[in-house]
Amino acid sequence: HVQLVESGGGSVQAGGSLRLSCVSSGYTYDTDAMAWFRQVPGKAREGIAGINRLGTKTIYGDSVKDRFTISRDNDKNTVYLQMTSLKPEDTGMYYCAARTTGSSWLGLVEGAYKYWCQGTQVTVS
C-alpha cells in the first residue's frame, strides 16, 4: 500500500509559478509511473503530466506542454510539478497519482493509477 501526501498549492497571479510536491510512503519500492491530474468543477479529471519510475521519460497533456515540468527524486520518494506561465484556466484541484504494477507503461489514463493523494487547490487569477 502506498500513501501520497501533496503540498504546494495556493493562489497566484497569471504568469506566475508554483511548485507542487507529492511525497509517497509505504511500499514505495513498488511505485513505478507517477502522474499529476487536475480537475475543475463540472469537468472530468485531466491528466497533465506523467513520469516513469527512473525519471527518464515524461509525458504531458497538450494544455500544459512547455509550461509545466514533472520530475521525481526517488531518494526522497517525491514527485514534483513545476508550473510556470500559469493561466487562469490552470485553476483547479491538482492530484498526484501512483502505479505499482511493475510495468514500464507510462500514460495519463486516470484508471491506470491506483493510489491518489488528497488533492491541492491551485487558483490563478
Side-chain angles (χ1 to χ4, degrees):
H1 189 71
V2 175
Q3 297 85 40
L4 302 175
V5 178
E6 186 177 5
S7 61
S11 298
V12 64
Q13 291 188 333
S17 300
L18 279 175
R19 190 177 79 158
L20 305 182
S21 300
C22 176
V23 180
S24 57
S25 61
Y27 290 106
T28 56
Y29 61 85
D30 279 341
T31 303
D32 41 53
M34 297 190 72
W36 290 92
F37 291 75
R38 73 179 174 200
Q39 188 168 26
V40 299
K43 292 188 177 182
R45 196 171 292 185
E46 172 192 12
I48 56 175
I51 189 166
N52 68 346
R53 181 185 183 95
L54 296 179
T56 56
K57 184 178 179 181
T58 58
I59 56 172
Y60 296 93
D62 289 340
S63 63
V64 306
K65 202 170 293 183
D66 299 325
R67 298 189 299 121
F68 290 11
T69 302
I70 188 172
S71 61
R72 67 191 293 170
D73 184 338
N74 289 337
D75 290 337
K76 296 181 179 179
N77 295 323
T78 302
V79 64
Y80 304 97
L81 184 67
Q82 179 67 49
M83 304 183 291
T84 64
S85 302
L86 282 161
K87 305 174 181 179
E89 51 263 44
D90 292 318
T91 294
M93 189 70 76
Y94 282 68
Y95 301 89
C96 69
R99 283 167 54 89
T100 58
T101 63
S103 81
S104 60
W105 180 89
L106 176 62
L108 297 177
V109 177
E110 181 179 356
Y113 291 85
K114 182 176 181 179
Y115 299 103
W116 293 81
C117 69
Q118 77 285 359
T120 189
Q121 177 69 34
V122 171
T123 302
V124 185
S125 59

